[in-house]
């Protein structure tokens, strides 16, 4: 009798474990962009995740990290289930951790799931390619940073960026302002931000092809296929009336990611120089 | 029942008084704290205005430098007349490039915004947000409107499309040509830093919804958060404002928020949109929260500068008034209790007074309380004696009880005052036995009183009039018995012994000679032997009666013993003695005695010699009698 009871209890336990494994975790760990303030992130993403939870039953726990490398490390160790990444950081993550999968792309202001990087300069300035040109960059792992700017400099001026003067200003706006101030000749930034400075005489002088936008990347090791499918369907079907109420990044819409759009990237991360050379 | 009512009233008074004292102390405390807070508010206002005025000078200096810059003026002039949008953008960019260094310097001074406006009040270039420009500000920014219309500087707190600020707007002129305006705005963070240097406290700027929040571009509204305490007010997001970041991590201020929100005075005052202050007492601390009304450039409420200070003095005031309340409460209880005790004592005394009054009224004596003239109190016996109802009735007719003393020389009366000013003094010097007066009662009956008195206080005496009329009468009768001979009714030797010194003194003072004669019935033994002692007694009675009848009025007859009598006399000269005695002898002999016939008597007389003992005088009279007997009886011998 005692043995029968023990077997019965064990069977119940095994059943519970198998159900949990099949259904996946009820709470997922999400890491926002490392450059954002925590409270700002919470304010921006709370309505979004509240909606997701309401529709899918999946709760979200925020994991804050200060830089991409730490996010990627935690992602690999299974402590992060979902992350919001630009294309270049995703490519870097995918190279070392193939189980990372982009599922939903955030739309840009034009309503499309892609954007362009540009080179911009002040309209009254003339770039003298007879000497080293000065290039203001955003961040080392930013898509519009060294990676795309070096390609654009080569395409537009026929110059190697690593032989020019460049520095990281840590934001697209700062890069443009340094150009306005005359401290740099050109800036490598996102197109829409550069266009925002047109009223200050900033003009786009070169632009990249369309690149996949920021995307929610999931950890396929920690989330079940069912959870991933549920998340993707839930987010992709958010009505326009709803997402227009949310903060700027989340207010232009969502769509499932076509992973082929990432094929445009052929990155050798070893060639990305992580520190500027102006100082 | 009465005692219970009084006790209930006492408790009621204690409760009401303590309540009143508590209310009074609370009000007094409130006034003192209000006064303290008003002073704190005044200081804050002065500090704020001083800082504001200092920045007015600082910004003016910098604005002057900027608007005298010829390149700047040239750029602005070009911008004014340039119609091509792209060229205008390039000019804006040039302007940024020209002045960003100046802007960095301004930022180091705490000036957050350097903002150029066009002549028609549009944003030309925000150095704090360069990509945001071209929007019209004239409608929402009175400072910009006024400056560009009136071409004079404009100052004041004001909301904006992005940040609010303490604005200093100056017109930009090239000669007489108006090129627009430039604004230097100071964030609250800078004001707070200066305030901390003058009046250290926690500061926050709660900005009015209409004056500030509603003017902000929608995409930038998240730079403000709803005020944690004031309705329709906003504070800057801690991500933007260092002050708010500091306050957000201030545990005390965060603990005060809900307490402030619940504070009744705050809830009432916050809608007044004027300066006010509240105090929060939270566990171990007293906090003063000041709300300084900051007016915007339109003169409307723009914000509340809120100051949070922990002030021990508030606790001290609180403690002082708590102690004062306790002391006053105790004082009230003590005073009322004393009053109650006094009342009970008074009641007790009144009861005792009644008892005493009854006791005094029951006394047979007349009891008076008087200063010797005017009577202050009298007992019932007094009123009964004089047949009056109360003291006032007596006082209507008498100024002094002494007026009722009968002029009887046997007793004291006002005629015996002598050199004394009042009867009290006069009677005081008398022996107790002579402190006797006679007073007629309402029926006219004379009563004899002995007076005893004791001092009651500095002015009053308690007089006790003891009616001794009966005693005096009894004593008089007894005295009469002891000094008279029972058989004959004349005085006896006892009387002589008591009075002879008085007689001698009287003669001495009246210039008389004192004379004494012994009168003896001749052969009286025969009468007794013949007729019996009853007859003998009747003879003695007749004999005494006859002498008494025929002697002079002032002469005193004394039965000396047996058939011997002594006659004491006052005479002017010795011859008068002989005449008087001889007259007596003759009337005795002249008329027969009933039942025994004629009898004679022998008389021996003598004059008192000054200084001798009375016994010697009597002895000489006896010797004279002896000589009269020797001479054959029925004769008078004077020696």
């Amino acid at each position: 009798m005692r043995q029968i009871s023990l077997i019965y209890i064990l069977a119940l336990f095994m059943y519970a474990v198998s159900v949990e494994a099949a259904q996946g975790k009820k709470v997922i760990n999400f890491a926002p962009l490392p450059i954002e303030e925590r409270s700002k992130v919470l304010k921006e993403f709370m309505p979004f995740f509240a909606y997701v939870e309401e529709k899918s039953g999946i709760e979200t726990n925020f994991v804050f990290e200060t830089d991409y490398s730490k996010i990627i490390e935690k992602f690999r160790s299974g402590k992060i289930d979902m992350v919001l990444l630009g294309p270049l950081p995703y490519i870097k993550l995918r190279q070392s951790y193939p189980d990372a999968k982009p599922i939903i792309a955030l739309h840009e202001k034009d309503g499309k799931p892609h954007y362009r990087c540009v080179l911009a300069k002040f309209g009254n300035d003339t770039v003298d390619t007879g000497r080293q040109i000065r290039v203001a960059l955003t961040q080392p792992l930013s898509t519009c940073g060294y990676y795309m700017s070096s390609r654009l400099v080569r395409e537009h001026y026929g110059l190697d960026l690593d032989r020019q003067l460049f520095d990281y200003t840590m934001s697209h706006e700062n890069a443009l302002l340094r150009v306005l101030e005359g401290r740099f000749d050109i800036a490598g930034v996102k197109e829409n931000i550069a266009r925002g400075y047109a009223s200050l005489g900033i003009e786009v002088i070169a632009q990249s092809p369309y690149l996949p936008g920021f995307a929610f990347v999931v950890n396929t090791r920690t989330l079940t296929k069912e959870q991933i499918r549920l998340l993707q369907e839930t987010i992709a079907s958010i009505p326009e009336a709803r997402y227009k109420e949310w903060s700027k990044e989340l207010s232009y819409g969502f769509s499932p990611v076509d992973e082929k759009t990432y094929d445009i990237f052929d990155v050798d991360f070893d060639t990305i120089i992580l520190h500027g050379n102006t100082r | 029942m009465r005692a219970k009512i009084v006790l209930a009233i006492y408790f009621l008074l204690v409760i009401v008084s303590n309540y009143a004292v508590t209310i009074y102390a609370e009000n007094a405390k409130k006034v003192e704290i209000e006064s303290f807070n008003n002073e704190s508010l005044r200081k804050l206002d002065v500090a704020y205005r001083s800082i504001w005025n200092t920045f007015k000078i600082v910004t003016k200096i910098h604005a002057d430098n900027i608007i005298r810059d010829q390149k700047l003026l040239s750029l602005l002039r070009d911008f004014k007349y340039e119609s091509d949008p792209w060229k205008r953008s390039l000019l804006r960019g040039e302007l940024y490039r020209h002045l960003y260094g100046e802007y960095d310097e301004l930022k180091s001074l705490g000036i957050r915004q350097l903002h150029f406006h066009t002549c028609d009040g549009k944003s030309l270039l925000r150095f704090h947000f360069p990509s945001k420009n071209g929007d019209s500000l004239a409608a929402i920014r009175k400072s910009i409107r006024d400056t560009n219309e009136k071409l004079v500087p404009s100052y004041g707190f004001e909301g904006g499309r992005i940040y609010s600020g303490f604005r200093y707007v100056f017109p930009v002129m090239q000669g007489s040509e108006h090129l627009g305006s430039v604004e230097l705005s100071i964030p609250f963070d800078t004001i707070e830093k200066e305030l901390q240097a003058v009046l250290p406290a926690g500061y926050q700027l709660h900005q009015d919804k209409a004056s500030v929040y509603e003017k902000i571009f929608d995409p930038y509204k998240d730079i403000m958060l709803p005020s944690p305490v004031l309705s329709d007010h906003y504070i800057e997001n801690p991500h933007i404002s260092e002050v708010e970041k500091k306050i957000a991590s201030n545990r005390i201020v965060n603990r005060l928020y809900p307490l402030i929100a619940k504070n009744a005075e705050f809830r009432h005052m916050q809608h007044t949109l004027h300066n006010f202050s509240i105090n929060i007492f939270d566990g171990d601390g007293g906090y003063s929260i000041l709300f300084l009304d900051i007016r915007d450039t339109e003169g409307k409420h723009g914000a509340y500068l809120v100051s949070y200070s922990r002030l021990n003095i508030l606790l001290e005031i609180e403690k002082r008034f708590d102690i004062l309340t306790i002391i006053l409460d105790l004082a009230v209880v003590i005073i009322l209790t004393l009053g109650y005790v006094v009342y009970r004592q008074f009641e007790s005394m009144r009861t005792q007074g009644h008892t005493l009054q009854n006791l005094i009224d029951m006394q047979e004596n007349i009891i008076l309380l008087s200063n010797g003239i005017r009577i202050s109190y009298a007992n019932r016996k007094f009123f009964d004696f004089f047949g009056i109802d109360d003291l006032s009735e007596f006082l209507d007719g008498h100024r002094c009880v002494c007026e009722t003393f009968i002029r009887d020389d046997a007793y004291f009366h006002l005629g015996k005052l002598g050199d004394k000013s009042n009867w009290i003094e006069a009677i005081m010097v008398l022996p107790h036995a002579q402190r006797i007066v006679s007073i007629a009662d309402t029926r006219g009956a004379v009563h004899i009183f002995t007076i005893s008195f004791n001092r009651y206080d500095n002015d009053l005496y308690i007089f006790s009039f003891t009616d001794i009329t009966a005693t005096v009468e009894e004593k008089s009768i007894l005295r009469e018995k002891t000094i008279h001979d029972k058989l004959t009714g004349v005085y006896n030797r006892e009387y002589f012994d008591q009075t002879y010194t008085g007689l001698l003194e009287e003669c001495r003072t009246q210039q008389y000679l004192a004379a004494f004669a012994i009168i003896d019935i001749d052969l009286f033994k025969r009468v007794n032997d013949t007729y019996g002692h009853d007859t003998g007694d009747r003879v003695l009675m007749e004999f005494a009666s006859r002498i008494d009848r025929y002697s002079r009025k002032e002469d005193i007859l004394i039965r000396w013993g047996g058939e011997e009598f002594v006659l004491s006399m006052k005479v002017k000269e010795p011859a008068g003695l002989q005449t008087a005695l001889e007259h007596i002898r003759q009337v005795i002999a002249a008329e027969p005695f009933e039942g025994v016939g004629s009898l004679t008597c022998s008389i021996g007389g003598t004059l008192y010699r000054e200084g001798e003992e009375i016994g010697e005088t009597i002895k000489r009279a006896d010797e004279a009698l002896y000589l009269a007997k020797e001479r054959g009886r029925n004769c008078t011998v004077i020696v």
Side-chain angles (χ1 to χ4, degrees):
Chain A
M1 186 65 190
R2 197 174 167 186
Q3 282 180 327
I4 294 168
S5 299
L6 197 62
I7 292 165
Y8 178 71
I9 291 165
L10 196 61
L12 277 178
F13 175 74
M14 294 299 286
Y15 174 76
V17 168
S18 63
V19 167
E20 171 69 22
Q23 290 181 344
K25 294 195 290 185
K26 288 286 174 66
V27 179
I28 62 168
N29 295 316
F30 169 72
L33 295 175
I35 53 172
E36 303 284 6
E37 289 274 359
R38 290 185 182 193
S39 55
K40 192 180 174 190
V41 168
L42 286 171
K43 191 184 168 193
E44 285 176 0
F45 284 90
M46 284 294 276
F48 168 78
F49 282 113
Y51 177 87
V52 172
E53 185 183 344
E54 180 193 334
K55 295 295 177 186
S56 67
I58 297 172
E59 290 180 48
T60 309
N61 178 46
F62 287 83
V63 178
F64 294 98
E65 289 302 339
T66 52
D67 59 55
Y68 279 115
S69 58
K70 285 187 178 171
I71 290 174
I72 290 169
E73 186 184 319
K74 282 197 171 181
F75 199 91
R76 279 199 296 249
S77 64
K79 291 176 182 171
I80 291 174
D81 304 308
M82 189 163 78
V83 64
L84 181 64
L85 290 176
L88 195 65
Y90 163 68
I91 298 296
K92 182 172 173 60
L93 174 63
R94 191 176 65 179
Q95 283 182 358
S96 61
Y97 190 71
D99 294 322
K101 177 182 171 64
I103 56 169
I104 289 288
L106 273 65
H107 290 185
E108 292 292 316
K109 195 175 180 181
D110 58 4
K112 292 180 179 167
H114 54 223
Y115 69 96
R116 289 190 291 202
C117 293
V118 298
L119 292 181
K121 74 172 190 66
F122 179 50
N124 282 347
D125 288 346
T126 303
V127 179
D128 180 5
T129 55
R131 59 170 177 81
Q132 281 183 303
I133 61 170
R134 297 167 299 173
V135 184
L137 302 175
T138 56
Q139 292 189 43
L141 283 181
S142 168
T143 309
C144 295
Y146 187 91
Y147 169 69
M148 195 50 76
S149 294
S150 63
R151 287 177 65 166
L152 290 172
V153 167
R154 187 176 298 112
E155 285 170 16
H156 190 71
Y157 292 112
L159 300 172
D160 290 331
L161 181 57
D162 57 354
R163 294 191 178 182
Q164 310 307 310
L165 295 171
F166 66 92
D167 210 345
Y168 294 103
T169 61
M170 302 314 288
S171 79
H172 299 265
E173 286 82 1
N174 284 346
L176 291 166
L177 288 173
R178 296 299 87 82
V179 169
L180 264 183
E181 289 163 3
R183 301 186 200 188
F184 289 87
D185 299 313
I186 57 173
V189 294
K190 272 179 85 175
E191 181 185 12
N192 65 334
I193 298 175
R195 303 277 181 209
Y197 277 74
S199 63
L200 288 151
I202 292 291
E203 60 182 357
V204 172
I205 53 174
Q207 58 195 30
S208 72
Y210 280 106
L211 306 169
F214 276 76
F216 287 113
V217 178
V218 296
N219 191 337
T220 57
R221 274 195 204 168
T222 59
L223 298 179
T224 65
K225 284 183 182 173
E226 176 57 22
Q227 280 179 312
I228 293 168
R229 186 193 60 76
L230 193 57
L231 281 169
Q232 195 172 32
E233 285 179 6
T234 303
I235 298 169
S237 61
I238 296 172
E240 184 180 355
R242 193 67 179 264
Y243 64 67
K244 275 192 168 176
E245 295 173 356
W246 296 340
S247 65
K248 201 163 60 178
E249 290 86 347
L250 300 169
S251 64
Y252 305 128
F254 309 90
S255 59
V257 171
D258 178 2
E259 282 196 70
K260 288 179 185 171
T261 58
Y262 289 92
D263 292 346
I264 196 170
F265 292 97
D266 176 19
V267 190
D268 177 2
F269 282 97
D270 292 338
T271 63
I272 295 176
I273 300 172
L274 300 176
H275 301 288
N277 60 11
T278 59
R279 279 169 283 185
Chain B
M1 187 60 187
R2 180 187 171 89
K4 285 180 180 173
I5 291 170
V6 170
L7 191 62
I9 291 171
Y10 160 75
F11 278 115
L12 191 66
L13 276 175
V14 167
I15 291 165
V16 170
S17 304
N18 279 349
Y19 180 72
V21 161
T22 306
I23 295 291
Y24 164 77
E26 279 296 318
N27 283 336
K29 179 173 73 179
K30 198 174 170 186
V31 166
E32 184 161 341
I33 289 176
E34 263 180 18
S35 165
F36 177 80
N37 284 339
N38 288 340
E39 180 61 18
S40 301
L41 261 174
R42 195 188 63 78
K43 282 181 187 169
L44 179 60
D45 191 33
V46 168
Y48 164 72
R49 287 180 191 286
S50 302
I51 293 164
W52 167 251
N53 287 325
T54 303
F55 275 106
K56 195 185 275 187
I57 297 166
V58 171
T59 54
K60 179 79 168 60
I61 291 167
H62 283 273
D64 282 348
N65 285 337
I66 290 167
I67 61 183
R68 276 202 294 266
D69 184 326
Q70 289 305 312
K71 184 172 182 186
L72 168 90
L73 294 174
S74 173
L75 287 169
L76 291 179
R77 192 170 188 283
D78 291 346
F79 191 89
K80 181 180 177 182
Y81 294 110
E82 183 57 67
S83 56
D84 178 66
W86 176 242
K87 287 182 179 171
R88 286 175 74 119
S89 297
L90 290 172
L91 287 167
R92 189 180 282 116
E94 288 291 352
L95 183 60
Y96 184 87
R97 180 169 289 184
H98 184 59
L99 284 180
Y100 79 87
E102 179 77 21
Y103 178 53
D104 284 345
E105 190 183 333
L106 290 174
K107 282 195 287 186
S108 71
L109 295 172
I111 296 169
R112 178 161 64 181
Q113 290 165 255
L114 173 62
H115 190 176
F116 285 88
H117 322 115
T118 60
C119 297
D120 57 354
K122 286 181 180 167
S123 172
L124 194 160
L125 176 60
R126 292 178 171 94
F127 276 77
H128 57 285
F129 219 121
S131 62
K132 202 69 193 170
N133 51 60
D135 51 298
S136 178
L137 297 163
I140 62 156
R141 296 280 306 277
K142 185 174 183 292
S143 59
I144 296 172
R145 199 166 60 237
D146 284 356
T147 301
N148 285 292
E149 284 175 2
K150 300 171 187 171
L151 304 183
V152 292
S154 194
Y155 312 99
F157 174 78
E158 203 171 53
R161 286 301 189 195
I162 299 172
Y163 296 125
S164 62
F166 297 83
R167 318 286 191 186
Y168 301 85
V169 185
F170 305 90
V172 181
M173 307 291 290
Q174 188 176 40
S176 60
E177 187 175 7
H178 175 211
L179 300 178
S181 57
V182 62
E183 166 195 346
L184 290 85
S185 288
I186 294 164
F188 176 65
D189 284 26
T190 305
I191 300 282
E192 190 265 357
K193 195 175 169 186
E194 299 298 326
L195 278 172
Q196 288 290 3
V198 185
L199 298 170
Y203 291 104
Q204 237 179 351
L205 191 70
H206 295 246
Q207 305 178 38
D208 183 69
K209 184 179 182 182
S211 178
V212 177
Y213 185 74
E214 288 176 353
K215 293 177 181 174
I216 299 172
F217 283 132
D218 283 345
Y220 304 106
K221 282 200 185 292
D222 61 357
I223 65 172
M224 304 292 283
L225 297 173
S227 161
V229 288
L230 284 154
S231 58
D232 291 335
H233 283 73
Y234 287 77
I235 56 171
E236 284 196 350
N237 193 314
H239 300 130
I240 291 160
S241 164
E242 284 299 318
V243 168
E244 288 302 338
K245 195 172 179 180
K246 190 167 63 179
I247 287 285
S249 60
N250 186 321
R251 279 186 301 169
I252 291 174
V253 173
N254 281 284
R255 203 176 67 226
L256 287 175
Y257 284 153
L259 301 175
I260 294 168
K262 279 191 281 187
N263 185 283
E265 197 173 356
F266 167 77
R267 290 164 73 172
H268 168 67
M269 292 300 294
Q270 68 162 324
H271 300 295
T272 65
L273 304 181
H274 290 299
N275 293 350
F276 70 95
S277 61
I278 61 167
N279 299 109
I280 301 285
F281 295 97
D282 175 35
D284 60 337
Y287 299 92
S288 169
I289 296 110
L290 309 177
F291 295 82
L292 187 69
D293 172 32
I294 305 291
R295 295 276 141 178
D296 65 12
T297 49
E298 295 189 16
K300 295 176 184 169
H301 171 76
Y304 266 125
L305 170 54
V306 182
S307 143
Y308 306 89
S309 309
R310 177 181 169 135
L311 293 173
N312 290 332
I313 192 167
L314 289 177
L315 282 182
E316 285 169 18
I317 292 171
E318 180 89 355
K319 196 182 286 181
R320 196 166 72 237
F321 275 95
D322 284 349
I323 291 168
L324 178 68
T325 306
I326 291 168
I327 289 171
L328 286 176
D329 281 345
L330 280 175
V332 164
V333 170
I334 289 168
I335 289 167
L336 287 174
T337 305
L338 280 176
Y340 177 71
V341 169
V342 168
Y343 169 79
R344 289 302 303 267
Q345 284 291 106
F346 178 74
E347 274 293 291
S348 173
M349 283 170 65
R350 206 169 64 154
T351 307
Q352 287 174 2
H354 276 302
T355 307
L356 196 60
Q357 178 75 47
N358 290 336
L359 197 66
I360 292 170
D361 283 346
M362 286 168 66
Q363 294 293 308
E364 283 299 314
N365 296 353
I366 290 173
I367 308 290
L368 298 179
L369 195 60
S370 170
N371 60 0
I373 298 172
R374 189 167 182 85
I375 299 171
S376 303
Y377 168 81
N379 66 350
R380 175 51 49 192
K381 187 72 180 176
F382 177 86
F383 302 132
D384 292 344
F385 184 83
F386 288 106
I388 55 177
D389 293 326
D390 55 40
L391 195 57
S392 61
E393 195 177 338
F394 178 82
L395 294 175
D396 283 345
H398 304 82
R399 285 179 304 163
C400 172
V401 69
C402 58
E403 291 175 2
T404 64
F405 298 166
I406 295 169
R407 283 185 172 270
D408 180 345
D409 286 340
Y411 309 112
F412 178 80
H413 56 77
L414 292 180
K416 293 184 176 180
L417 283 182
D419 59 348
K420 303 299 180 187
S421 60
N422 62 57
W423 70 279
I424 294 290
E425 289 178 13
I427 207 164
M428 261 185 192
V429 299
L430 293 177
H432 285 276
Q434 292 179 30
R435 294 175 182 176
I436 299 171
V437 295
S438 60
I439 305 171
D441 66 15
T442 184
R443 295 182 302 277
V446 175
H447 292 252
I448 312 298
F449 294 96
T450 58
I451 300 175
S452 60
F453 53 89
N454 287 298
R455 187 173 280 281
Y456 177 72
D457 59 24
N458 285 341
D459 297 324
L460 298 174
Y461 291 89
I462 297 173
F463 294 95
S464 176
F465 288 70
T466 307
D467 192 336
I468 57 166
T469 309
T471 309
V472 168
E473 284 174 353
E474 284 173 13
K475 193 174 176 182
S476 179
I477 291 167
L478 189 62
R479 178 178 162 78
E480 286 300 310
K481 282 181 181 174
T482 56
I483 61 173
H484 285 85
D485 176 53
K486 196 185 275 185
L487 178 65
T488 61
V490 300
Y491 292 114
N492 57 16
R493 285 186 72 165
E494 178 65 25
Y495 176 78
F496 179 80
D497 290 341
Q498 289 178 16
T499 60
Y500 77 87
T501 51
L503 176 69
L504 295 177
E505 182 61 29
E506 204 172 294
C507 288
R508 205 173 289 129
T509 55
Q510 294 174 2
Q511 303 289 306
Y512 279 98
L513 298 170
F516 296 93
I518 299 176
I519 304 169
D520 184 74
I521 302 170
D522 294 332
L523 302 172
F524 183 69
K525 190 174 182 299
R526 284 184 189 171
V527 174
N528 276 336
D529 292 346
T530 307
Y531 302 105
H533 283 283
D534 290 342
T535 302
D537 288 345
R538 279 198 296 275
V539 168
L540 285 171
M541 291 164 67
E542 175 65 21
F543 183 74
S545 171
R546 200 174 291 177
I547 294 170
D548 194 40
R549 190 162 63 245
Y550 289 106
S551 62
R552 296 174 306 174
K553 190 180 176 182
E554 64 272 20
D555 296 342
I556 297 167
L557 180 63
I558 296 151
R559 187 180 178 194
W560 203 248
E563 69 276 19
E564 276 187 350
F565 293 86
V566 169
L567 190 64
S568 67
M569 308 166 76
K570 292 191 289 184
V571 295
K572 280 288 182 185
E573 50 192 11
L577 176 62
Q578 179 70 39
T579 304
L581 291 176
E582 191 57 26
H583 174 67
I584 290 167
R585 186 192 64 77
Q586 286 173 3
V587 297
I588 293 298
E591 289 184 36
F593 287 80
E594 189 181 351
V596 295
S598 293
L599 292 172
T600 61
C601 67
S602 298
I603 300 172
T606 187
L607 291 171
Y608 172 76
R609 292 171 188 166
E610 195 60 41
E612 70 178 352
E613 292 292 325
I614 194 66
E616 292 176 38
T617 311
I618 296 301
K619 186 180 177 184
R620 197 163 54 249
D622 195 41
E623 286 169 356
L625 176 65
Y626 180 76
L627 284 174
K629 293 287 186 184
E630 283 288 311
R631 287 176 185 169
R633 300 183 181 90
N634 194 21
C635 66
T636 301
V637 175
I638 307 295
V639 293

